[in-house]
Amino acid sequence: MKIIQTIEELQEIRKSISSSVGFVPTMGALHDGHISLIKQARSENDIVIVSIFVNPTQFLKGEDLDKYPKKIEADSKICELCKVNYLFLPQISTMYGEDEVLVKAPNIKSYTLEGERRPGHFDGVLQVVLKLFGLTKPNRAYFGKKDAQQLALIKQMVENLFLGIDIIECEIKRESDGLALSSRNVYLTAEQRSDALAISKSLHAAAAIIGKKEFDCHVIKEHMQTIMSQLDVEYIAFVNRQFEEIQTIELKNSIILVAVKVGNTRLIDNIWI
Amino acid sequence: MKIIQTIEELQEIRKSISSSVGFVPTMGALHDGHISLIKQARSENDIVIVSIFVNPTQFLKGEDLDKYPKKIEADSKICELCKVNYLFLPQISTMYGEDEVLVKAPNIKSYTLEGERRPGHFDGVLQVVLKLFGLTKPNRAYFGKKDAQQLALIKQMVENLFLGIDIIECEIKRESDGLALSSRNVYLTAEQRSDALAISKSLHAAAAIIGKKEFDCHVIKEHMQTIMSQLDVEYIAFVNRQFEEIQTIELKNSIILVAVKVGNTRLIDNIWI
């Protein structure tokens, strides 16, 4: 595995690759969720590029940019074990200049749910992903379903800008007790972690009652609220795969999303129905 | 020459090309300025793609979107004679959907000069150029120096988004009497056209006094104003190649720009010093 730190080196290397490239952009602190993305990229492409970059433009003022977990040595080892070909580790000054061309996420889709709580967050996400796509020019790029709204917006960006990149949607990885893997889980105390289990429980309960043909989102939501009654729930939302709000579950075209604050930590989770 | 009207067809064709691609984006109504871009693209690339698309997002309300000159048959013939391989003629609905991912030109550079008079204009220019770059994935793209601010912003976008495309700057083409070629010159009456000659005269006069080592932009500007005293001058500006305002001419790093309103027609021109 080759570690790359400069734009010039990455561009030079990319020019020399004529076979298929799979790209996995990350912010590091790699867990089994990331590993599953990397493994899938490994199995579907000749060359795998992983990036680790804690992108400042997607953090709002007061968010956890400075304390976002960093484990670069362990991350590097993981990538090596997963037979990644190139690990791209840029600095902020490598990625950004002054007074840049900006990307603006769509008005409607990007200012609901996560975008409503984190205004401008998705502008930063799309900006850095577009930069990384420009550098790595992947055939396929891998994103987890856990950040479902991010995934929908990246897919839309690829469509709107005709980038011709296959966006591969990867399943959410969970602890054996159901907690969705997240780099931010390290912020949780034992008690908070235990409380947080109600999130995935509520999602699985929703799937169970949908299995019994309850498709009314209002009813499902009330059921989920009961399960998460001890938690500070920011939203429970029902959207289709185009991320438009729905009132009735459409099988194979719905996503149920939850955002919860546990102590100072925001956790998001979802289930694709 | 093959005419392409759909995204799918263009993407399919692009995938099949492994040799070098030169791209010339235009809004049609092709004149000798465009032809010189196409000829240069022809001489430097295996495959030449030209697009003709009057992009609505770069026109402001009240501008000449609806009456922008259209000469598609003549344009198509010109492209054929210039041995263009592919002519892309999309519809608006082919290029744009609803609630799109947007591109925002840099704050400072895009809200001076043309951007000050046409706020949002460059957002639309960068958006459509980025879409067209996504579709055509050129090795080289050709732009005229006449739209100098546009050229600077496109170069910046390529840098900021690491697109890895060579932006080729092409010389301004002029009528024998000095008037810079523009698709909008057809709007001019004979009298207006005659008045408009003062624009290029003022630029050549500027070059002449710079040749005599007068580098003070204030002095040069006064001289130009005298020559254009009969015209409704919107601005005379002095910038370096990074499009930052300058007070003193730096040889081989300066551009003098003029915008003038002749009747209802805005004309821009410039000279690279």
Side-chain angles (χ1 to χ4, degrees), chain B residues 82-249:
Chain B
C82 291
K83 301 196 194 320
V84 168
N85 300 88
Y86 299 103
L87 175 60
F88 181 49
L89 300 177
Q91 300 294 311
I92 292 175
S93 61
T94 310
M95 293 297 285
Y96 290 104
E98 280 176 18
D99 196 26
E100 290 230 331
V101 171
L102 299 174
V103 181
K104 183 115 187 33
N107 281 322
I108 303 168
K109 278 187 203 166
S110 74
Y111 283 94
T112 57
L113 305 173
E114 286 306 290
E116 191 181 338
R117 275 75 182 180
R118 306 178 71 187
H121 166 67
F122 289 119
D123 298 345
V125 170
L126 295 187
Q127 177 186 33
V128 78
V129 169
L130 191 57
K131 281 174 181 265
L132 291 167
F133 282 174
L135 283 168
T136 58
K137 302 200 191 308
N139 301 80
R140 301 179 191 85
Y142 296 79
F143 294 88
K145 286 182 173 178
K146 180 160 171 295
D147 291 304
Q149 194 171 4
Q150 166 180 291
L151 178 55
L153 288 165
I154 288 168
K155 286 181 74 167
Q156 188 184 331
M157 177 170 74
V158 168
E159 272 178 35
N160 288 170
L161 301 178
F162 307 121
L163 300 180
I165 298 167
D166 280 340
I167 300 300
I168 312 294
E169 305 174 337
C170 302
E171 297 304 325
I172 297 173
K173 288 282 162 184
R174 299 180 180 280
E175 304 281 5
S176 56
D177 57 12
L179 184 69
L181 297 191
S182 163
S183 301
R184 290 189 170 102
N185 287 351
V186 298
Y187 300 153
L188 301 174
T189 64
E191 193 186 351
Q192 287 171 339
R193 199 191 166 297
S194 169
D195 291 345
L197 294 180
I199 304 168
S200 55
K201 267 186 202 146
S202 80
L203 289 166
H204 288 119
I209 60 175
I210 291 166
K212 289 176 190 157
K213 305 217 185 314
E214 175 58 72
F215 297 146
D216 184 330
C217 295
H218 186 72
V219 174
I220 300 165
K221 186 174 179 175
E222 284 193 343
H223 198 71
M224 293 174 68
Q225 275 168 330
T226 308
I227 295 172
M228 292 191 288
S229 60
Q230 303 303 311
L231 292 177
D232 178 7
V233 177
E234 286 196 358
Y235 61 77
I236 298 170
F238 299 80
V239 299
N240 60 23
R241 301 289 164 92
Q242 290 70 51
F243 242 82
E244 296 153 340
E245 203 185 341
I246 54 171
Q247 305 298 328
T248 308
I249 293 290

Side-chain angles (χ1 to χ4, degrees), chain A:
Chain A
M1 184 180 77
K2 186 168 173 56
I3 292 180
I4 302 175
Q5 289 179 308
T6 69
I7 300 296
E8 294 71 24
E9 198 181 359
L10 181 50
Q11 285 180 322
E12 202 55 48
I13 286 169
R14 182 62 189 88
K15 269 189 199 164
S16 70
I17 303 171
S18 54
S19 49
S20 66
V21 171
F23 174 52
V24 187
T26 81
M27 299 211 300
L30 303 181
H31 52 61
D32 280 352
H34 300 104
I35 292 171
S36 73
L37 305 189
I38 297 171
K39 282 186 174 165
Q40 193 170 339
R42 180 68 282 163
S43 72
E44 294 175 350
N45 302 276
D46 296 314
I47 299 293
V48 174
I49 306 177
V50 172
S51 65
I52 296 180
F53 179 60
V54 181
N55 172 43
T57 68
Q58 71 191 70
F59 287 79
L60 273 64
K61 259 189 195 153
E63 286 188 349
D64 56 347
L65 173 62
D66 293 332
K67 65 167 192 155
Y68 195 85
K70 284 171 197 67
K71 309 193 297 178
I72 191 63
E73 280 178 32
D75 289 348
S76 176
K77 197 74 206 158
I78 288 169
C79 290
E80 203 162 355
L81 288 169
C82 290
K83 302 197 194 318
V84 167
N85 299 89
Y86 300 102
L87 176 59
F88 181 49
L89 300 176
Q91 300 294 312
I92 292 174
S93 61
T94 310
M95 292 297 285
Y96 291 104
E98 279 176 21
D99 194 27
E100 290 229 331
V101 172
L102 300 174
V103 181
K104 183 115 188 31
N107 281 322
I108 303 167
K109 279 189 201 164
S110 74
Y111 283 93
T112 58
L113 305 174
E114 286 306 290
E116 192 181 338
R117 276 74 183 180
R118 306 179 71 187
H121 166 67
F122 289 119
D123 297 344
V125 170
L126 295 186
Q127 178 186 33
V128 77
V129 169
L130 191 58
K131 281 173 179 267
L132 290 167
F133 282 175
L135 282 168
T136 59
K137 303 200 191 308
N139 300 81
R140 301 178 191 85
Y142 296 79
F143 294 88
K145 286 182 171 178
K146 179 161 172 293
D147 291 304
Q149 193 170 5
Q150 166 179 290
L151 178 54
L153 289 166
I154 288 168
K155 286 181 73 168
Q156 188 185 330
M157 177 170 74
V158 168
E159 273 177 34
N160 287 169
L161 300 179
F162 307 120
L163 300 180
I165 297 168
D166 281 340
I167 300 300
I168 312 294
E169 304 174 337
C170 302
E171 297 303 326
I172 296 174
K173 288 284 162 185
R174 298 179 180 283
E175 303 281 4
S176 55
D177 57 13
L179 184 70
L181 297 191
S182 164
S183 300
R184 290 190 170 101
N185 287 352
V186 299
Y187 299 153
L188 301 173
T189 65
E191 194 186 349
Q192 288 171 337
R193 199 191 167 296
S194 170
D195 293 344
L197 293 180
I199 304 168
S200 55
K201 268 187 199 141
S202 78
L203 289 167
H204 288 118
I209 60 174
I210 290 165
K212 290 176 189 157
K213 306 216 184 310
E214 175 57 71
F215 296 146
D216 184 330
C217 295
H218 187 71
V219 174
I220 300 166
K221 186 174 181 175
E222 283 193 345
H223 198 72
M224 293 174 69
Q225 276 169 330
T226 309
I227 295 171
M228 292 191 288
S229 59
Q230 303 303 312
L231 292 177
D232 178 8
V233 177
E234 287 196 357
Y235 62 76
I236 298 171
F238 299 80
V239 298
N240 61 21
R241 301 288 165 91
Q242 291 70 51
F243 244 82
E244 296 154 340
E245 203 183 343
I246 54 172
Q247 304 298 328
T248 308
I249 294 289
E250 307 160 33
L251 293 176
K252 303 207 171 177
N253 191 32
S254 303
I255 311 173
I256 308 177
L257 306 123
V258 175
V260 166
K261 202 129 186 221
V262 182
N264 288 321
T265 307
R266 277 190 91 240
L267 296 175
I268 59 172
D269 200 352
N270 64 69
I271 194 163
W272 295 45
I273 301 291

